[in-house]
Amino acid sequence: MVDWSQNPAEPMTVNGVALEYACYGPPPSEAPTIILLHEGLGCVGLWRDFPEILSVQTGLGVLAYSRQGYGQSDPVDLPRPLDFMTREAIDVLPHVLDQAGIRRCILFGHSDGATIAAIYAGSVEDHRVRGLILEAPHFFTEEMGLAEIARARETFATTDLKEKMAKYHRDPEGAFRGWCDTWLDPGFEDWNVADVIDYIRVPILVVQGRGDQYGTLAQIEEIETRAYCPVDTAILDCKHAPHLEAPKETLDAVGEYCARLLRIEAAEVVPA
């Protein structure tokens, strides 16, 4: 079991891999838990103070962890497989939930993390998962997003971005290459996991910036068109990271969504 603390003494170990994590607010025995799944260059530290504020705003526990190759988690072998997000959802995430003693949870993913959350909810029958918060999700590639990643590759090669990333990532080169080289692999152009949306059966909140440089509103329209479950959307005046660029609006939308889920959970069912 994990040490429910903001500064655990030891990482959690999943499939023999040490994963950095941090916990906030009430433990799973006392309240539902929000599981934070970071973006393609994210980690525990790069959520900044958002997890703690999120816990206070919602009254729920929050667990954030760094995937292999990110933050202070163990490095990853490169190149990553092109289905790395599906593998993370199927092979890693359920073990994280088990180790944390999760009883009821909301998966809150940003960017690649949002895709991982959606894949899990649409592929694994897990009644612990009561809702999804998808922030800037990707279900298929778009030319504008790939162009932005190509620009990021140039920035990494010509600026001090690697040194800046080293403040948060044990292996900044591996973290960047594992993200960039996979997305820009020619074989990744046809990547599409939108079919998982068809199988999601829990309420979804989607948060997206109008100016998102990595994905258009076509990603959100895909959810609204295909979903058989309730979908709420919050389209905000920001770019790719609403929780950092529009924190109040993001927290307001997330807080309302979580409160509604809690009301549904607590409602008494009266027999007809």
Side-chain angles (χ1 to χ4, degrees):
M1 301 295 286
V2 304
D3 172 13
W4 196 266
S5 161
Q6 292 187 29
N7 298 289
E10 301 290 338
M12 76 169 78
T13 301
V14 173
N15 301 329
V17 176
L19 300 178
E20 173 190 28
Y21 74 96
C23 305
Y24 306 82
S29 60
E30 298 178 9
T33 308
I34 297 174
I35 309 296
L36 288 179
L37 303 167
H38 63 75
E39 64 173 320
L41 292 180
C43 64
V44 168
L46 284 168
W47 284 107
R48 306 189 190 281
D49 61 355
F50 183 73
E52 187 170 11
I53 296 172
L54 179 63
S55 179
V56 172
Q57 176 99 357
T58 62
L60 305 181
V62 174
L63 167 66
Y65 77 97
S66 299
R67 298 191 293 276
Q68 184 179 6
Y70 297 101
Q72 303 309 308
S73 294
D74 281 349
V76 69
D77 293 331
L78 298 178
R80 284 185 181 273
L82 300 187
D83 63 347
F84 74 96
M85 285 180 271
T86 296
R87 294 191 186 201
E88 181 72 25
I90 303 302
D91 299 336
V92 179
L93 183 53
H95 298 295
V96 171
L97 301 183
D98 290 344
Q99 288 215 27
I102 298 302
R103 301 180 182 186
R104 293 178 294 157
C105 70
I106 297 168
L107 301 181
F108 184 149
H110 175 216
S111 193
D112 285 9
T115 305
I116 291 166
I119 293 172
Y120 187 77
S123 304
V124 178
E125 186 177 357
D126 187 342
H127 296 292
R128 294 174 295 183
V129 177
R130 306 302 177 89
L132 293 181
I133 301 171
L134 306 180
E135 181 185 15
H138 307 289
F139 295 99
F140 46 85
T141 58
E142 296 183 89
E143 288 187 10
M144 52 83 73
L146 296 177
E148 189 67 24
I149 295 172
R151 283 190 285 273
R153 179 174 58 185
E154 180 66 18
T155 300
F156 189 82
T158 59
T159 70
D160 62 349
L161 179 57
K162 181 177 179 179
E163 288 71 27
K164 290 179 178 178
M165 288 181 61
K167 297 176 182 178
Y168 296 95
H169 298 284
R170 171 177 164 187
D171 178 15
E173 181 86 23
F176 187 83
R177 294 297 176 193
W179 167 74
C180 172
D181 292 354
T182 305
W183 273 89
L184 295 181
D185 187 297
F188 201 72
E189 291 183 8
D190 295 328
W191 172 81
N192 189 314
V193 294
D195 60 336
V196 301
I197 300 169
D198 302 341
Y199 299 94
I200 297 172
R201 293 295 183 267
V202 294
I204 302 172
L205 169 65
V206 185
V207 182
Q208 177 89 0
R210 286 189 179 86
D212 193 323
Q213 66 271 39
Y214 290 104
T216 69
L217 293 178
Q219 305 285 342
I220 312 310
E221 292 165 3
E222 191 78 11
I223 301 173
E224 294 174 330
T225 300
R226 303 184 70 142
Y228 286 87
C229 55
V231 177
D232 293 326
T233 59
I235 309 302
L236 307 179
D237 291 323
C238 60
K239 298 176 74 175
H240 187 59
H243 69 281
L244 297 178
E245 298 161 357
K248 182 183 184 303
E249 294 85 350
T250 300
L251 284 165
D252 285 348
V254 171
E256 180 180 342
Y257 168 82
C258 291
R260 187 164 66 252
L261 279 188
L262 290 177
R263 287 196 299 271
I264 293 171
E265 291 271 329
E268 293 184 0
V269 177
V270 180

